[in-house]
Amino acid sequence: MPHTLHPTIAQVTQTIIERSRQTRQDYLAKIRLQNQAPKVARHELGCANLAHVQAASTASEKTILLHQQQVNIGIITAYNDVLSAHQPYEHYPALIKAAAQKKGAVAQVAGAVPAMCDGITQGRAGMELSLFSRDVIAMSTAVGASHDVFDGMMYLGVCDKIVPGLLLGALSYGHLPAIFVPAGPMTSGLSNKEKAKVREEFAAGRVTKTDLLAAETASYHGAGTCTFYGTANSNQLLMDVMGLHLSGAAFVPHGPLRQALTERATEVLIDWSDARLQQGAKFTHALGLIVDEKCIVNAIIALLATGGSTNHTLHWVAVARAAGILINWDDFSALSAVIPLLTKIYPNGTADVNQFHQAGGTPWLIHALLDAGLLHADVVTMTPAQESGLYAQILMPSLQNGRVAFSPCADKSADDTVLRAPIDAFAPQGGLVVLKGNLGRGIIKVSAVAAQHQRVIAPARLFDSQEEVLARYAAGGLREHFIAVLRYQGPRANGMPELHKLMPLLGNLQNEGFSVALVTDGRLSGASGKVPAAIHVCPETQDGGPIGKIMEGDVIVLDATTGELSVQVDAAEWAQRKDARRAAVATTGYGRELFAGFRQQVGTAEEGASVLFV
């Protein structure tokens, strides 16, 4: 198929390749050293070691494991039944083991990782563990795989920090083939727009808590991923585009096709694991080879084209580094300038991910971007197909005689109010903008912010916690034009929690005609909505960042149209102001004290806010 890549994408990719040359070479050398093909992984085990591996297995599994000829698949699961998105995973291991047995292979649960929900911990102490849980998941993944008896790895995870954490850990075993298996979205309930309206009404005191709870439970009502396009569903879309899911798997709802896709993913992984044993050094489907510079650029493009989660300006920086690839926010900014916005999914539209999938979903999105020269086609994916490269990911799965069949996606979007081609884009540029100025660097998600609100110039109102903002609002002290500056929310201060408790009240003030915005070193994530918010500002306050020098009443300029984030203070006076670093931040109780070392060692937001690469 003819394919001419957009010159900006080619240039950004080449810049990343050159910037990463040494670190990528070091990573590839490491996984080559780990590659034991053409022998099965457990071939080198001593007799006692191997006896432990097979001790609890069935008789047929013991035969395979002891004879050391057929492959053994390791499963890392994020199952728990507190998270609706992960509850379906309860029965996946049995399904995977049965599918493996039919292929003459074995599958074993290698380990489990924690999976917490930001929707449950919003505004609570647990939110301060949320971002750090990603690196804990990465470490837990490595621990699970550390028995080194697996020829391929299968990863079960969906939500915010879970998929990035699994991928970070998986890349430390990047010499193995790996596939990620999603669990699908919940069915559509109360629309996200209606839910957001009730939240604003509650913040304004116009509806009761009973009304709010009824709306929330009508929205979050069953098993599966929340249906808005937040971090969890951004994860799923990016894994489709990176070729680490079977094509079109991300948003298939629960049912027979979902089960058949899991069985097919098992079969595919076993086939690739067999191929590794046969091909040795020529094997092309190792995870660390698939996740290369072009794959990472494709992920960023997909994020921008869909107005996805701002959390991925942290997560995918860290993921890239795990593969020896160095990216930064300037790469996001350069790509955003040429990537059009092709979707309208809440919060930058009214549709949910089920409607997006029905409109054509990820396969059609990839098809449209490839046709426009806006994705790298020459990449490797886990989907076995006659189509080469990324064209393997434009296939839509269906169920035929109880088996998964793949067919080309439709020529046109089934709903152009939700999903469009670049020639008819919703906006000419992507959903994220990098902000720069004398307040540092930050990110703003603009895909859901109306044009008239993308530039705010207003006096600063200083806060050190969400509770302070809520209290001043409740007292009637914020009925004015202002920019809320919320400090001490960065990874070094308190673990960088999300700050969604602020959105209903700021949305109400915006509805009343006030120009309002947020500037913070904290996070908002994929649910960032109609209120302009400069987030991830770094250096953070606790690192001596300039936002700690802002004083009450200083005039701040937040301009997403020009990428400016600055304070209008005389340069000489600004230079004399002291930063606002604290000697200690109160982060004890509810397990927070266990993460003191993380807070001391964590890198900056633009470096991925990770403790793994310091």
Side-chain angles (χ1 to χ4, degrees):
M1 299 181 185
H3 181 79
T4 303
L5 188 67
H6 191 289
T8 298
I9 297 173
Q11 180 56 57
V12 170
T13 305
Q14 188 58 38
T15 298
I16 293 170
I17 290 172
E18 292 172 1
R19 184 192 301 141
S20 310
R21 195 170 302 280
Q22 187 59 56
T23 50
R24 180 63 175 171
Q25 287 178 1
D26 292 345
Y27 173 76
L28 293 176
K30 179 184 73 173
I31 65 171
R32 279 195 297 268
L33 187 63
Q34 293 174 193
N35 191 4
Q36 299 300 311
K39 300 174 182 177
V40 294
R42 60 195 181 278
H43 179 84
E44 301 293 338
L45 290 186
C47 294
N49 306 67
L50 185 55
H52 279 84
V53 172
Q54 58 82 54
S57 300
T58 66
S60 60
E61 290 170 339
K62 286 182 178 183
T63 299
I64 293 172
L65 292 170
L66 291 172
H67 285 175
Q68 304 180 31
Q69 294 176 342
Q70 293 114 311
V71 302
N72 184 23
I73 298 302
I75 304 166
I76 303 289
T77 178
Y79 162 72
N80 67 54
D81 57 15
V82 178
L83 276 66
S84 63
H86 291 79
Q87 185 270 346
Y89 284 134
E90 179 180 6
H91 303 294
Y92 276 40
L95 185 68
I96 293 162
K97 290 182 179 189
Q101 186 177 33
K102 291 178 182 178
K103 291 279 288 183
V106 174
Q108 295 180 298
V109 175
V113 301
M116 63 178 292
C117 176
D118 293 354
I120 296 173
T121 57
Q122 285 292 341
R124 309 288 294 172
M127 223 9 261
E128 296 184 13
L129 308 186
S130 173
L131 181 58
F132 289 146
S133 77
R134 181 197 66 191
D135 289 7
V136 172
I137 291 164
M139 296 172 186
S140 301
T141 299
V143 169
S146 67
H147 297 103
D148 196 25
V149 296
F150 307 112
D151 306 295
M153 298 297 298
M154 180 170 281
Y155 297 98
L156 311 182
V158 173
C159 286
D160 295 20
K161 262 56 77 199
I162 293 87
V163 168
L166 288 169
L167 187 49
L168 283 166
L171 283 164
S172 67
Y173 284 80
H175 60 294
L176 296 176
I179 197 162
F180 284 69
V181 178
M186 70 175 66
T187 57
S188 301
L190 181 71
S191 76
N192 290 292
K193 185 177 180 179
E194 293 274 339
K195 175 189 67 181
K197 182 179 179 181
V198 175
R199 286 178 176 178
E200 290 181 355
E201 292 288 294
F202 178 74
R206 291 190 287 266
V207 302
T208 67
K209 188 172 182 178
T210 299
D211 297 323
L212 178 62
L213 182 59
E216 298 287 0
T217 55
S219 179
Y220 307 115
H221 62 90
T225 318
C226 307
T227 60
F228 68 91
Y229 190 48
T231 307
N233 287 319
S234 296
N235 283 338
Q236 300 308 298
L237 184 138
L238 265 58
M239 300 305 278
D240 265 16
V241 175
M242 293 172 74
L244 300 179
H245 283 168
L246 292 184
S247 181
F251 303 121
V252 171
H254 304 291
L257 178 56
R258 175 88 272 157
Q259 177 173 324
L261 275 166
T262 301
E263 294 170 337
R264 183 66 181 131
T266 306
E267 296 166 354
V268 166
L269 180 60
I270 291 169
D271 288 342
W272 287 128
S273 300
D274 273 328
R276 170 179 169 266
L277 300 180
Q278 297 164 16
Q279 296 170 10
K282 296 181 180 180
F283 183 62
T284 58
H285 282 70
L287 177 66
L289 300 180
I290 291 177
V291 182
D292 63 4
E293 296 90 343
K294 292 178 181 179
C295 177
I296 291 292
V297 168
N298 280 352
I300 297 172
I301 290 168
L303 182 75
L304 295 167
T306 55
S309 171
T310 54
N311 272 330
H312 291 304
T313 63
L314 307 173
H315 296 329
W316 252 246
V317 172
V319 165
R321 291 188 72 175
I325 300 165
L326 305 179
I327 62 173
N328 59 42
W329 289 348
D330 290 332
D331 301 322
F332 284 82
S333 183
L335 292 169
S336 187
V338 300
I339 302 301
L341 183 66
L342 304 185
T343 67
K344 282 287 186 180
I345 321 171
Y346 188 85
N348 71 314
T350 58
D352 64 19
V353 295
N354 293 313
Q355 293 166 285
F356 167 72
H357 184 68
Q358 292 157 8
T362 313
W364 197 90
L365 174 76
I366 296 171
H367 169 69
L369 288 167
L370 281 170
D371 276 1
L374 296 176
L375 284 172
H376 288 283
D378 54 336
V379 295
V380 177
T381 81
M382 289 297 288
T383 301
Q386 293 181 342
E387 291 78 3
S388 62
L390 195 58
Y391 287 100
Q393 297 299 109
I394 69 173
L395 303 176
M396 185 64 79
S398 63
L399 199 62
Q400 296 183 13
N401 299 319
R403 299 275 298 169
V404 174
F406 291 98
S407 56
C409 63
D411 291 333
K412 295 183 179 180
S413 166
D415 187 347
D416 65 6
T417 68
V418 178
L419 178 60
R420 294 183 180 178
I423 196 171
D424 190 31
F426 291 105
Q429 296 182 341
L432 299 176
V433 173
V434 177
L435 300 172
K436 309 173 186 177
N438 61 3
L439 291 179
R441 288 164 64 87
I443 295 287
I444 183 171
K445 179 175 177 177
V446 296
S447 54
V449 179
Q452 66 268 28
H453 298 308
Q454 291 188 14
R455 185 172 189 265
V456 179
I457 302 176
R461 297 292 176 255
L462 297 185
F463 305 94
D464 291 347
S465 70
Q466 291 186 90
E467 289 69 28
E468 289 183 13
V469 184
L470 294 167
R472 196 181 302 189
Y473 175 75
L478 291 177
R479 295 182 56 77
E480 59 182 346
H481 305 301
F482 71 97
I483 293 179
V485 178
L486 184 51
R487 311 177 298 180
Y488 305 110
Q489 306 302 310
R492 284 188 178 271
N494 65 352
M496 207 178 190
E498 292 181 351
L499 305 169
H500 287 296
K501 288 180 72 172
L502 304 181
M503 292 300 100
L505 69 89
L506 292 175
N508 280 337
L509 292 168
Q510 187 181 83
N511 293 342
E512 293 175 23
F514 297 110
S515 293
V516 294
L518 175 68
V519 173
T520 182
D521 44 16
R523 296 186 293 129
L524 277 176
S525 89
S528 305
K530 64 186 182 181
V531 177
I535 59 176
H536 304 179
V537 175
C538 59
E540 64 172 284
T541 311
Q542 194 62 14
D543 237 359
I547 69 167
K549 296 165 68 173
I550 297 171
M551 300 178 108
E552 186 86 7
D554 285 346
V555 175
I556 293 175
V557 177
L558 191 168
D559 192 339
T561 64
T562 63
E564 181 182 358
L565 179 63
S566 63
V567 60
Q568 295 181 341
V569 175
D570 178 76
E573 178 189 344
W574 187 248
Q576 292 177 355
R577 288 190 187 178
K578 295 182 179 180
D579 66 56
R581 270 178 283 208
R582 289 174 168 175
V585 181
T587 48
T588 60
Y590 299 97
R592 290 177 290 181
E593 60 273 17
L594 302 179
F595 289 81
F598 279 49
R599 292 190 297 272
Q600 293 167 7
Q601 298 297 322
V602 67
T604 69
E606 189 164 9
E607 294 170 331
S610 176
V611 300
L612 303 178
F613 310 108
V614 293

